[in-house]
Amino acid sequence: MSGKKKMYRMPVCFCMCILVMAVFSSCSISMNRRQGSVTASPSSDVQTMQGIVIKNDTEKSQLQIRDMDSDIISTLTYGATSVITDRYKTEQDGSRVPVGQILKATYRTSDAKLVTAEVPEEVWEYQDVTKFSFVADDNMLKVAGKKYQYSDITYCSSSGNEVEPMEFNNHDILTIRGVGIKVYSVVRTSGHGYIRLTNYEDFVGGMAEVSKNIIVPISENMLITAGEGTYRLTLCKKGVAVTKTVTVQNDKETVVDFSDYVVTGRNIGEVTFAIEPDGADLYINNTAVNYDKPISLQYGKYNVTVSLTGYETYTGVLDVEEASKTINIDLIEEVATASDDSSATATPSSSSASDSNDSDSETVTKQIDSDHTITVSAPEGAEVYLDNVYKGLAPCTFTKVIGSQTITLRETGYVTKSYSVDIIDDDKNAKLSFADLVKEEAD
């Protein structure tokens, strides 16, 4: 009998061992799941990619990601089991992933289900960028006093649509992301619209101010490009001013009618500029101004810049606080010095750089080249504006202005478009041609 009892005990012990091993194995798997780890077996279909988010379809819970190496676009579905973190390593819902974000993503190839997604450590980001310039000839983007390279793979976006870099202008606010010296995404977070003036003939020859952010001479066929927002629009001439409130919406044209204007006050100063030598360029709040005649300005302070090749650039603050005054500015000739090598490209830190624009102290000046012209040949029939000043219907030709500026195209029934262009000093006529305007959608 004792021998039979021993034979029964061996199977019982064996079963007990198997049970214990199963319990430990189950605990181990449960622990791994709680920690969010993903272990791929040799036959696993989980793969990894690094790319740019070009669309977030929140209704379908899908991200479209453009691979940074192959340029292939993948559509990945996210859900409750997807582990997605932002640049600060904080877990977030997939619906909050912004367009233009750079992600390292793991996903299942069998069903394109997103497993994990994170912002790589080497990715840098500038937010709320207002000072920038694209140099198309060199595929270069200047921002925060630094230079970066963009390419065909760089994703440029506005209102969820891909756009060309030259469609951004200095009234836009951007978020820019990249790795090292390369820019991979540029997203317009706040855009620009247009202000059209009507029945303002009494003020032609005066000055228009948009909350002192924009100062332009008043001419016929006025169309002013301005960033999104609400402004005080003031027209002034010979001590008389009229003010209206205007709201600018992205890609929209707002018409302001001055047929019922009422003079609001006489706090207007007539400023005469006496500048030596002749031929120097005058900028008030970064806007080129003709100073052959006295300039009407509301009382207040203005940034003034005067420049001329071969002379030191003058910068100062003009305080208009009386009915008339004369400003004398004599430029000083430049003294030749050894040039500093300041063209090196720097890499920003990985942290957000929302206030980095303060470090961009570069002053962009423009010069008149009376010996050469700019011709805008297309789209035919469109109104052409150079920095808010009407130049004619395309094709049209006007005096060449050297530097970075905005060309605006408008035609009734079509969406108004603005482009940033850099006109170089090459002793040649400049010829520009743009894509056809898109018809406005019926309301």
Side-chain angles (χ1 to χ4, degrees):
M1 289 293 292
S2 61
K4 289 183 179 181
K5 288 182 179 180
K6 289 182 181 179
M7 291 178 64
Y8 288 135
R9 286 174 186 164
M10 289 180 63
V12 171
C13 291
F14 180 71
C15 292
M16 290 289 290
C17 290
I18 292 177
L19 180 62
V20 171
M21 291 174 63
V23 170
F24 277 111
S25 177
S26 175
C27 291
S28 177
I29 292 173
S30 175
M31 185 178 296
N32 282 339
R33 286 175 179 170
R34 287 198 298 268
Q35 292 175 349
S37 63
V38 178
T39 303
S41 64
S43 60
S44 172
D45 65 345
V46 175
Q47 292 196 10
T48 301
M49 68 176 297
Q50 185 160 309
I52 310 151
V53 177
I54 64 173
K55 184 178 181 180
N56 187 346
D57 189 334
T58 56
E59 291 185 1
K60 296 182 178 179
S61 297
Q62 291 180 336
L63 294 178
Q64 285 189 4
I65 303 178
R66 178 189 291 173
D67 191 283
M68 290 164 53
D69 295 323
S70 65
D71 205 21
I72 295 174
I73 298 174
S74 299
T75 301
L76 306 179
T77 303
Y78 55 83
T81 59
S82 302
V83 179
I84 304 172
T85 56
D86 61 16
R87 60 184 297 103
Y88 305 107
K89 308 304 179 186
T90 301
E91 190 167 343
Q92 64 176 165
D93 186 77
S95 62
R96 298 180 62 85
V97 176
V99 169
Q101 185 60 275
I102 301 173
L103 291 178
K104 181 179 180 181
T106 59
Y107 63 97
R108 294 198 301 259
T109 57
S110 58
D111 57 1
K113 184 66 177 289
L114 187 66
V115 180
T116 65
E118 62 179 359
V119 179
E121 291 285 350
E122 65 270 19
V123 171
W124 51 260
E125 177 179 294
Y126 286 141
Q127 296 178 357
D128 301 328
V129 177
T130 57
K131 296 179 181 179
F132 58 89
S133 63
F134 289 88
V135 184
D137 292 341
D138 299 325
N139 276 8
M140 181 187 298
L141 169 60
K142 295 181 181 179
V143 59
K146 303 178 180 67
K147 300 175 183 178
Y148 304 96
Q149 293 292 319
Y150 67 92
S151 64
D152 292 339
I153 204 172
T154 302
Y155 180 70
C156 298
S157 170
S158 175
S159 301
N161 299 314
E162 191 164 7
V163 298
E164 295 295 325
M166 66 186 305
E167 294 185 45
F168 297 122
N169 68 41
N170 58 4
H171 299 289
D172 296 332
I173 300 176
L174 309 179
T175 294
I176 304 172
R177 299 179 178 92
V179 177
I181 65 170
K182 294 183 178 180
V183 174
Y184 285 103
S185 74
V186 183
V187 178
R188 178 188 284 150
T189 54
S190 181
H192 61 272
Y194 308 92
I195 303 170
R196 172 164 289 281
L197 310 185
T198 60
N199 300 311
Y200 61 98
E201 292 78 9
D202 292 347
F203 292 92
V204 172
M207 300 296 291
E209 298 184 19
V210 183
S211 295
K212 294 188 179 180
N213 296 323
I214 303 171
I215 302 175
V216 293
I218 301 174
S219 60
E220 296 180 358
N221 297 313
M222 282 290 290
L223 184 71
I224 302 173
T225 304
E228 292 180 78
T230 299
Y231 304 93
R232 287 172 55 85
L233 170 63
T234 301
L235 308 186
C236 53
K237 182 181 179 182
K238 295 183 178 178
V240 177
V242 57
T243 298
K244 287 197 172 187
T245 300
V246 57
T247 298
V248 177
Q249 297 178 307
N250 187 38
D251 288 336
K252 301 292 184 181
E253 184 177 300
T254 301
V255 178
V256 184
D257 185 1
F258 284 93
S259 59
D260 59 347
Y261 77 83
V262 176
V263 176
T264 57
R266 295 183 176 274
N267 291 332
I268 304 296
E270 296 287 321
V271 183
T272 300
F273 285 89
I275 300 175
E276 293 292 340
D278 292 336
D281 298 318
L282 170 65
Y283 300 85
I284 299 178
N285 285 3
N286 294 323
T287 300
V289 177
N290 187 329
Y291 55 94
D292 291 341
K293 299 177 181 179
I295 300 171
S296 298
L297 295 172
Q298 289 189 91
Y299 283 9
K301 294 183 179 181
Y302 301 85
N303 295 319
V304 174
T305 303
V306 180
S307 66
L308 182 65
T309 302
Y311 292 82
E312 295 182 11
T313 298
Y314 167 85
T315 58
V317 177
L318 168 65
D319 191 356
V320 180
E321 54 185 357
E322 52 192 290
S324 63
K325 67 190 307 181
T326 299
I327 305 297
N328 296 290
I329 299 175
D330 294 329
L331 297 182
I332 301 172
E333 289 191 46
E334 289 181 338
V335 178
T337 58
S339 61
D340 296 326
D341 184 12
S342 58
S343 61
T345 301
T347 302
S349 63
S350 59
S351 60
S352 175
S354 59
D355 59 350
S356 60
N357 303 301
D358 296 337
S359 64
D360 188 0
S361 59
E362 180 181 1
T363 301
V364 179
T365 59
K366 304 167 189 174
Q367 296 178 349
I368 305 297
D369 182 357
S370 301
D371 297 327
H372 298 92
T373 61
I374 297 175
T375 298
V376 177
S377 58
E380 291 189 15
E383 299 172 4
V384 179
Y385 296 82
L386 178 69
D387 284 343
N388 301 315
V389 178
Y390 178 70
K391 294 298 182 180
L393 298 178
C396 62
T397 301
F398 43 91
T399 302
K400 184 176 181 179
V401 181
I402 300 168
S404 179
Q405 50 216 301
T406 300
I407 296 284
T408 302
L409 305 172
R410 179 192 179 276
E411 187 174 355
T412 302
Y414 293 81
V415 178
T416 303
K417 294 288 290 185
S418 290
Y419 298 92
S420 293
V421 296
D422 285 307
I423 304 299
I424 60 176
D425 187 6
D426 58 359
D427 290 328
K428 296 180 182 179
N429 295 329
K431 297 181 180 180
L432 304 174
S433 178
F434 301 94
D436 291 341
L437 296 178
V438 178
K439 285 191 176 182
E440 292 180 337
E441 294 182 359
D443 294 333

